[in-house]
Amino acid sequence: TLTASLSRKLEHENAQGFDHEEDRVSLVRVHFQQKRYDEVIQLSNELIDALGDRQLRRECLEMRAFAGKRRQAWEIMEAAWRSLLQEFPRHMEARTELAKHCEHRRRDLAEARQLCAEGIALLETRRATLPHLVHATHMSALQKRLARIDGKLSRGGQFHREEHEVRAD
């Protein structure tokens, strides 16, 4: 009976056969685990705004961002990381991934630097109040990235892609 019910629900497009948010996000999880990133992007696009549960929304945005990254759909990835940071400012993985994107693809060293510096400040505040919740790997990764960005900036690196394109002309 359960298999038949699940099969009927899966026949509907875009997880519309499922009544509960958790079930809809579970379908996104299945697609993500099976590396079906186009389906992850499509389903998450339709689900994210409808999700009321903050943790499910967070998970769906994370899967969308990583699916965008794997598909090299940089705009989708960037929008998902930005949404995550807007809703969850202490999300270190979103902050780190967005800093990488700003540094390497957008060539916006100023924003990449700001993301790293803010992340370090958040971690230092958290370490002062709740030291057991701070992961040294996050702090170390952000510090190394910040040092590299500062090095690029001191050697005259670009702040924004638009400035780079103007100089190239």
Side-chain angles (χ1 to χ4, degrees):
T1 304
L2 181 60
T3 302
S5 174
L6 184 59
S7 293
R8 281 192 303 275
K9 290 177 185 288
L10 288 171
E11 287 175 359
H12 296 279
E13 284 190 35
N14 307 326
Q16 295 302 318
F18 294 99
D19 299 325
H20 303 285
E21 289 182 344
E22 177 72 36
D23 294 334
R24 290 183 180 131
V25 174
S26 292
L27 187 56
V28 177
R29 280 185 209 117
V30 168
H31 287 306
F32 189 81
Q33 290 168 351
Q34 293 176 350
K35 299 180 179 171
R36 296 171 58 188
Y37 301 123
D38 291 332
E39 287 85 352
V40 170
I41 291 169
Q42 179 186 351
L43 278 173
S44 64
N45 186 47
E46 296 166 9
L47 287 177
I48 286 172
D49 291 333
L51 291 172
D53 183 291
R54 283 179 43 87
Q55 294 310 312
L56 290 177
R57 184 170 164 77
R58 177 183 173 154
E59 181 182 1
C60 199
L61 280 166
E62 289 169 348
M63 288 186 287
R64 181 175 176 74
F66 280 117
K69 182 177 182 176
R70 303 241 166 61
R71 281 295 189 214
Q72 296 183 353
W74 307 125
E75 290 177 10
I76 290 169
M77 180 197 75
E78 180 178 353
W81 289 134
R82 288 191 187 282
S83 292
L84 271 164
L85 280 181
Q86 184 177 358
E87 294 180 44
F88 304 94
R90 291 181 173 90
H91 195 294
M92 287 301 132
E93 190 168 29
R95 187 169 297 282
T96 302
E97 289 292 326
L98 189 54
K100 289 179 193 177
H101 176 69
C102 288
E103 178 184 0
H104 299 296
R105 287 181 196 87
R106 289 187 52 229
R107 305 275 190 237
D108 187 341
L109 296 179
E111 185 176 5
R113 186 187 192 293
Q114 179 182 349
L115 286 161
C116 291
E118 288 172 353
I120 291 167
L122 285 168
L123 288 172
E124 286 173 348
T125 301
R126 190 180 297 168
R127 183 172 34 199
T129 56
L130 303 164
H132 60 285
L133 292 181
V134 174
H135 299 285
T137 55
H138 288 302
M139 180 68 87
S140 176
L142 285 171
Q143 288 170 333
K144 287 178 184 176
R145 183 166 300 284
L146 181 60
R148 187 175 58 250
I149 291 168
D150 283 343
K152 288 179 179 181
L153 289 170
S154 71
R155 292 186 303 274
Q158 289 86 28
F159 278 91
H160 298 283
R161 172 183 270 166
E162 296 79 25
E163 292 174 9
H164 175 66
E165 291 169 354
V166 169
R167 285 186 222 157
D169 292 340

